[in-house]
Amino acid sequence: MTAVSLSTSAANALRADAVVVAVAKGPKGLVLAPGAETVDEAFDGKLADVLSTLGATGAEGEAVKLPAPVGVKAGLVLAVGLGDAAEDGAYGAETLRRASGVAARTLHGSKKAAFALPTADAASVEAVALGALLGAYAFTAFRGEAAMATAKAPLAEVSLVGGKRDKAAKAGVERAVVLAEEMNRTRDLINTPPNDLFPKSFADIVTVAGKEHGLKVEVLDEKALAKGGYGGILGVGVGSARPPRLVKVAYTHPKAKQTLAFVGKGITYDSGGISLKPAGHNETMKCDMSGAAAVFAAVVAASRLGLQVNVTGWLALAENMPSGSATRPGDVLKMYGGKTVEVLNTDAEGRLVLADAIVRAGEEKPDAIVDVATLTGAMVMALGTRTFGIMANEDEFRDKVLAAATAAGEQAWPMPLPADLRKGMESPTADIANMGERMGGGLVAGLFLQEFVAEGTAWAHLDIAGPAFHEGSPFGYTPKGGTGSAVRTLVQLAEQAAAGTL
Ligand code: BES
Ligand code: MN
Ligand code: ZN
């Protein structure tokens, strides 16, 4: 990954391929953001005019390159837009992360850059560092040698110049490195093609990482799942040549006062099963393990940050495939814990694997359970592709999770669990059906999961089907493909639990 350091050099004085400054949209046109002062001096105070002449406005996402003048040691000046100018020159963390991400992406192929973005406090330092590390991400594991020989490499080195250099700033950079590496770990897992990442290979990756980070990892294979009565995970995985797994990955702190359980949907490929998805709906379904990847990465992050809390991750891993051995619409599954489910649509598989894992997680009496899943197309319809939905069995807990997501810089929105939608899932044969009314499908899925949460346990459900996988052009620090959605929210929740404020 890209290396980030704090430098005491002035922005104009650092030898680098490029120096990055930020600009914004003022009431009377483009203005320079704090950090750009020494570079502006080298332009005789005319940098804003020069950029305006080139057509720059300071809009969010804008990136304008110009040759550096005498007096700037870097070869190139890159101006990135922040959007509307802040009166006090203080920009929000997400604004800085995005602008920094744009800069790192634009400088793909360069070796070293000086980032002279506004970094007056430690939170801004962290935001700029995180944006750069996330923006520089590239997934090249499956490119051929010939393509790699000619490809540009990600920006190798970022020096943050001109800002705070105290202990808090250093800690901010360290936290950014952990968050970025763990989000990029999540992205790598999501982007890995499903013929390479399947339940067993995913479980093996967790086992290896567990050793590296002092985590306790337990893997239930198909035999252990059958013995334990995990009918949901088995029923989804039984059509595949690659059998399912349930992985428990636990971080414990000796002084922890609270335990959080994170449950992740880990469908390594969702074909829909016998209720096969049509072409046009299956091309990106390697992303259906994004929840499990986020949970895994968040547990590793909690360990790397040494948080004073216990965090247990439960990864429900299966491949949803049609075959002669696959679960049929009409089959009844006996879930872990004993409830029976009539499978009316094998494409509503996420709730089946999650139900087993939620019941299992609940047995250990955690202080809260948070599940993360690319669960429904209905949630994408409701909230679009950049916002995840939050549902919960207690409004107060839902609001806390929403606040954590917002503080972490992730777009999220609260969704209800209306009791009237439960009757649509009544089954003439089993305790419940895995499908209900089509309208409000995201909430129906949430209500299904709620049935498997132990009485008295706080539970929240994050439906990340929209933001987990980005199909459009890159923006801010978000690349095409896996995004790392929910990782920061989970880490934020773990930090709040550690601080006793959750
Ligand atoms: N994995 C899909 C949901 C999904 C859709 C994720 C789009 C990412 C992007 C899920 O398993 C699914 O197929 N859900 C069905 C449920 C329906 C059959 C009740 C859906 O949303 O159509
Ligand atoms: Mn499905
Ligand atoms: Zn799915």
Side-chain angles (χ1 to χ4, degrees):
M1 202 175 69
T2 310
V4 176
S5 61
L6 290 167
S7 163
T8 49
S9 288
N12 67 322
L14 195 80
R15 213 168 278 287
D17 298 309
V19 57
V20 182
V21 298
V23 294
K25 258 177 127 144
K28 288 186 237 117
L30 179 142
V31 295
L32 302 178
E37 297 81 4
T38 62
V39 176
D40 187 32
E41 277 162 32
F43 278 92
D44 292 329
K46 294 199 169 59
L47 178 55
D49 291 342
V50 171
L51 286 166
S52 299
T53 306
L54 288 169
T57 63
E60 184 189 331
E62 199 173 77
V64 177
K65 284 179 185 174
L66 59 168
V70 176
V72 172
K73 284 247 172 76
L76 184 81
V77 175
L78 170 65
V80 289
L82 295 167
D84 289 335
E87 263 174 44
D88 50 3
Y91 291 87
E94 182 61 8
T95 301
L96 294 174
R97 273 191 292 267
R98 289 189 184 197
S100 187
V102 169
R105 271 199 294 115
T106 307
L107 294 173
H108 199 75
S110 302
K111 285 218 164 62
K112 179 172 179 173
F115 276 46
L117 301 179
T119 46
D121 55 21
S124 307
V125 171
E126 180 183 323
V128 171
L130 182 55
L133 291 168
L134 293 173
Y137 174 83
F139 184 69
T140 55
F142 291 81
R143 296 265 187 230
E145 272 168 42
M148 283 310 283
T150 51
K152 291 179 180 176
L155 180 60
E157 222 185 310
V158 171
S159 276
L160 307 186
V161 293
K164 275 256 161 56
R165 299 292 164 264
D166 54 8
K167 240 176 126 179
K170 281 188 191 134
V173 172
E174 277 165 29
R175 187 172 182 276
V177 168
V178 171
L179 285 176
E181 284 180 353
E182 294 313 321
M183 279 177 72
N184 288 343
R185 179 201 298 277
T186 308
R187 292 167 168 187
D188 281 347
L189 286 165
I190 298 168
N191 292 333
T192 300
N195 56 339
D196 240 72
L197 190 83
F198 44 90
K200 181 182 184 301
S201 66
F202 196 155
D204 289 346
I205 290 170
V206 178
T207 302
V208 170
K211 287 208 180 85
E212 187 185 341
H213 297 287
L215 309 170
K216 194 159 177 255
V217 179
E218 285 169 38
V219 179
L220 298 190
D221 63 11
E222 68 273 29
K223 277 191 201 133
L225 289 168
K227 205 169 162 211
Y230 292 85
I233 296 173
L234 283 168
V236 173
V238 73
S240 169
R242 292 167 169 150
R245 295 285 184 271
L246 176 64
V247 178
K248 176 185 181 186
V249 49
Y251 163 68
T252 54
H253 189 286
K255 290 193 199 139
K257 294 203 177 68
Q258 287 200 37
T259 299
L260 294 182
F262 295 157
V263 179
K265 172 177 173 180
I267 301 299
T268 57
Y269 185 71
D270 182 12
S271 71
I274 297 293
S275 314
L276 195 63
K277 284 182 189 293
H281 291 262
N282 52 23
E283 293 81 355
T284 59
M285 279 304 139
K286 66 175 181 182
C287 81
D288 216 18
M289 34 54 69
S290 297
V295 164
F296 166 40
V299 176
V300 176
S303 165
R304 292 179 64 180
L305 295 168
L307 303 183
Q308 201 174 314
V309 61
N310 298 330
V311 184
T312 309
W314 299 90
L315 320 182
L317 309 177
E319 187 181 51
N320 188 22
M321 295 292 272
S323 75
S325 61
T327 293
R328 293 152 284 254
D331 280 356
V332 172
L333 302 176
K334 186 162 186 190
M335 312 294 281
Y336 185 75
K339 274 202 179 73
T340 60
V341 178
E342 182 177 13
V343 179
L344 292 179
N345 189 323
T346 62
D347 198 12
E349 84 298 338
R351 64 198 74 182
L352 298 173
V353 300
L354 286 170
D356 275 2
I358 287 172
V359 174
R360 179 65 190 87
E363 283 181 349
E364 303 200 348
K365 303 255 175 289
D367 292 283
I369 299 177
V370 179
D371 78 70
V372 186
T374 47
L375 205 58
T376 65
M379 196 57 61
V380 192
M381 286 289 183
L383 296 178
T385 57
R386 295 191 186 180
T387 302
F388 61 78
I390 305 179
M391 286 142 273
N393 57 354
E394 297 164 12
D395 287 356
E396 204 190 328
F397 187 58
R398 187 194 62 206
D399 292 344
K400 281 183 186 166
V401 176
L402 174 62
T406 308
E410 297 206 80
Q411 282 175 224
W413 202 250
M415 300 297 275
L417 291 173
D420 56 280
L421 288 175
R422 171 62 178 84
K423 65 179 182 306
M425 289 185 284
E426 278 172 11
S427 159
T429 317
D431 298 338
I432 189 169
N434 77 330
M435 245 186 69
E437 288 174 39
R438 198 167 75 85
M439 300 297 172
L443 320 181
V444 171
L447 279 166
F448 180 92
L449 295 179
Q450 187 174 21
E451 301 266 328
F452 296 87
V453 179
E455 261 309 296
T457 304
W459 158 79
H461 159 55
L462 315 185
D463 190 337
I464 61 168
F469 195 83
H470 181 57
E471 292 186 62
S473 313
F475 67 95
Y477 52 81
T478 303
K480 243 181 159 33
T483 62
S485 177
V487 172
R488 281 178 288 159
T489 299
L490 294 179
V491 173
Q492 184 85 25
L493 287 169
E495 285 176 334
Q496 288 181 9
T501 58
L502 186 64

